[in-house]
Structures are given as structure tokens and as C-alpha cells.
Amino acid sequence: MKVNGRDMRATWWIEDGVAYIDQRRLPHALEIGVAASVEEVARAIEDMAVRGAPAIGVFAGYGLALAAKLGDDLGAAYERLARTRPTAINLWKGLDTVRGACAAASKTLRARATLATARAFDDAEVAAGEAIGTHGLALFRQGTRVLTHCNAGWLAVQDWGTALAPVYRAHRAGMEPFVYVDETRPRLQGARLTTWELAQEGVRHALIADNAAAHLMQRGMVDLVITGSDRVAANGDAANKIGTFGKACAARQAGVPFYVAAPISTFDPGTASGADIPIEERSDDEVLFVEGVDESGTARRVRVAPEGTAVFNPGFDVTPHELISGIITEVGIVRATAEGVAEALNRAKA
Ligand code: MRU
């Protein structure tokens, strides 16, 4: 995707380490960070400077390639990176793929092999996003009004995105889609990132408070809901950003189709159902404070609840497969059932 006319990915390899767009600074500033050690890669994932399921898989893969280049203990690097976030299975897909290239005997060969594998994994995720866009385009008509939650665009997937990939395809095909963007409390990925991405692409959109989504669906203002996912279980249940399940319930009640868009790297056949997906709990401060810029453009962090308020802050929820109209993957749209998941995995292997 282009930023100010320049082709960019969310993260990329450079001579000194792994570069990334610092997603904590958007939309107010486009800052590039550099992780020069495995610990810095891990912290960037934990602090959500790099976030979104496929993007953290790619970034962690580069982190392991960095460990190989620096001559670090690869087992320890793997363990550190694997501890960063628990929900998105893509993290392990990236780590396991790159670890598979670590067997080479000499340090130089190992460094080359891990980097080549990390790059190939990155390119495969980009290609998957592009193909998701192609398959998802079938759900669009002229002027389709889509509602999305969180950020499942190119920042979360390196390029194209998952939920937003079909939107970008439809936009480029002249179909003039319109996107309702849930703000996505508490980290506001919708308000900060999805709006920014859509504006860069010139896609028509409106930001809505999370609480407004059900009302819009009830009033017939939404044709289609598409969200991303952090892990699709063997039975088709899908974990995604907290609040997604509620949108799916509202969509079912209002008769609006609810689709999940996810690459095969998000499928986890080893997890039987959504009940088995670990749900990350994040810090109280994400709920107690909001961050933004004031009228002079200065970054501010302000408290919104009384001091001492107790908080519970789950980062994800699970949408049961019964509420999902289909899963848009790079190998086509499949049903959100055990058979559909197996079919997608088989097609990907073929
Ligand atoms: O906590 P985040 O911002 O990493 O959560 C991201 C999401 O939940 C996305 O919707 C999901 O990763 C799918 S992105 C392709």
C-alpha cells in the first residue's frame, strides 16, 4: 500500500535490524522504529507498536532471523518472542516457519537461510491478503456499505489486509464501497488506524462509536460486516478483537451477513473450539486512560475513570461459528464449520 505515494509494508528487514511503522503514533505521526535486538522486537509486539495477527507473525519471523544474524541462542530467542502475545496463532506460524530454516550448520549459512525464509513468509502473507481481496470481492455490489471492527487492513497484514482487502479491491474496481469503522475501545485501532488507512486509499468511510453498530444494522444501514481474526479454531469459531462477538450477534438479529476474513496462517486445527483459544488480558491503563493529541498537536494521555477504579480488560473474544456466514481466505470463501476449515486447509496444501 502507498503512504504519501510511497510503497510501504508494516514491517521490513534493514541492515541494522527490523524496521516497522510505529502503530502507536498513528494517525498523528508516521514514525519508523527499528528493533536492533530480539528483546526490542519482543517489546515492540508487547507494546503494540507492531500489531495485527499476520503482521506480528511476520515481525517475529524477522526477529528470529535477527537472532541468527547476531549469533544469539535461537531457542531462547524463540521462547522470548513466543511469550509476547497469546491469542494470535500467526505469531507461532511465523516463528515455526523461520525456525525450520535454522538447521544449517555454519552461523553465516543459518543467518542467510533464516532471513530468506522470513522474507518468503512475509511475501506469502502479502499474497494471501491480495487473494483474500479477490475472493471477497464477490460479496460486493455497487455502493456496498460494510461495517468493520478493529484494524484488519494493511497495517495488520503487511499489505492489503484481511477484512479491508476486499474493500480495497472493490474501491479500485470503481464500486464505491462505504465503510462504517467501529472505533474499537480501548486501543481504538478503528479510530486511529482503519480511518487513516481508508483515507490514504480514498475509500469513503465514517467513524462510529462502538455502541452505535447494532443501531445501524437494525436501521438497514449496513449490507455486510467483515472482520479479521486472530485464530480460527478447528470447528470454525473465530477469535478477534474484543467486541467482535457483539457485532456478530447484532448482525444475526438484523439479518446482516457476517464474514470473517483470515489467511490460512490464522487457522489453528490444533485448537478444537473457541473455548480453547487463550484470551489475552491487557493492562488496566488501556481502559483507565485515553491517549491522543490536543489542539496544538501535542500528545496527551488523560485519565477517564476515578483513581483506584478496578478494571478487567480482555483483548479478544470468540465469535461462535454459527454466527459466521463464511470465512474469506486466500483459497476461497469457506463455511465456518469443521468441514469448511478442513476444506480450506486441504486446498492450501494442494
Ligand atoms: O490487539 P490487536 O490490535 O493486535 O488485534 C488485532 C485484531 O484483532 C485484528 O482484527 C486481527 O488481528 C485480524 S488482523 C488481520
Side-chain angles (χ1 to χ4, degrees):
M1 290 278 148
K2 288 203 184 331
V3 182
N4 304 326
R6 177 182 157 205
D7 269 323
M8 289 192 89
R9 291 188 181 182
T11 175
W12 63 98
W13 179 266
I14 58 171
E15 199 55 41
D16 304 329
V18 195
Y20 58 89
I21 294 178
D22 191 334
Q23 300 190 34
R24 297 166 304 181
R25 304 283 167 254
L26 289 171
H28 310 298
L30 179 65
E31 284 179 18
I32 309 302
V34 175
S37 66
V38 169
E39 185 57 28
E40 287 179 9
V41 172
R43 293 218 178 130
I45 297 172
E46 287 166 346
D47 295 347
M48 293 174 63
V50 177
R51 49 139 302 278
I56 62 174
V58 170
F59 191 52
Y62 280 131
L64 213 48
L66 182 60
K69 180 186 167 192
L70 297 174
D72 292 351
D73 176 337
L74 291 174
Y78 181 102
E79 292 304 322
R80 175 67 186 98
L81 292 165
R83 272 202 317 274
T84 50
R85 297 193 73 189
T87 303
I89 192 69
N90 307 64
L91 178 70
W92 287 271
K93 295 284 175 72
L95 287 172
D96 290 340
T97 302
V98 176
R99 183 167 65 175
C102 288
S106 78
K107 187 184 149 193
T108 315
L109 281 183
R110 201 167 51 198
R112 270 196 217 139
T114 50
L115 179 56
T117 306
R119 284 198 159 122
F121 184 74
D122 181 356
D123 290 343
E125 289 297 70
V126 170
E130 190 171 1
I132 286 170
T134 304
H135 292 297
L137 185 61
L139 303 172
F140 283 71
R141 303 282 171 268
Q142 194 67 30
T144 291
R145 299 160 301 173
V146 184
L147 183 137
T148 194
H149 191 68
C150 194
N151 171 261
W154 71 266
L155 287 165
V157 191
Q158 288 293 74
D159 203 2
W160 286 99
T162 55
L164 293 187
V167 171
Y168 292 138
R169 282 282 194 205
H171 174 68
R172 291 182 187 188
M175 296 165 87
E176 301 184 273
F178 186 95
V179 184
Y180 288 109
V181 181
D182 287 347
E183 59 182 352
T184 319
R185 278 280 290 155
R187 293 286 296 219
L188 298 168
Q189 290 94 330
R192 293 170 188 272
L193 306 175
T194 302
T195 53
W196 181 79
E197 272 193 34
L198 293 172
Q200 289 285 331
E201 274 289 306
V203 177
R204 300 181 306 145
H205 62 280
L207 178 64
I208 59 169
D210 289 327
N211 302 337
H215 169 70
L216 267 62
M217 290 190 235
Q218 188 185 48
R219 288 289 165 104
M221 296 167 68
V222 177
D223 302 308
L224 182 62
V225 179
I226 313 181
T227 73
S229 176
D230 292 81
R231 193 185 297 219
V232 176
N235 69 344
D237 292 350
N240 194 48
K241 182 50 55 194
I242 190 77
T244 304
F245 173 37
K247 311 304 166 196
C249 293
R252 173 57 55 90
Q253 165 69 22
V256 175
F258 178 95
Y259 282 86
V260 165
I264 295 297
S265 59
T266 300
F267 283 57
D268 181 15
T271 295
S273 78
D276 305 309
I277 298 176
I279 301 294
E280 180 179 16
E281 286 175 32
R282 294 195 56 91
S283 96
D284 295 2
D285 282 5
E286 289 186 350
V287 180
L288 292 172
F289 294 85
V290 286
E291 294 176 39
V293 294
D294 65 17
E295 284 169 3
S296 70
T298 306
R300 298 268 184 231
R301 178 175 187 262
V302 295
R303 174 182 283 281
V304 289
E307 286 199 36
T309 300
V311 171
F312 178 52
N313 183 20
F316 299 89
D317 60 24
V318 172
T319 299
H321 61 276
E322 299 89 352
L323 296 180
I324 301 172
S325 307
I327 308 177
I328 312 167
T329 77
E330 66 268 42
V331 292
I333 302 179
V334 295
R335 283 171 303 136
T337 57
E339 296 72 30
V341 168
E343 188 187 335
L345 292 168
N346 282 336
R347 279 193 216 165
K349 265 191 225 136

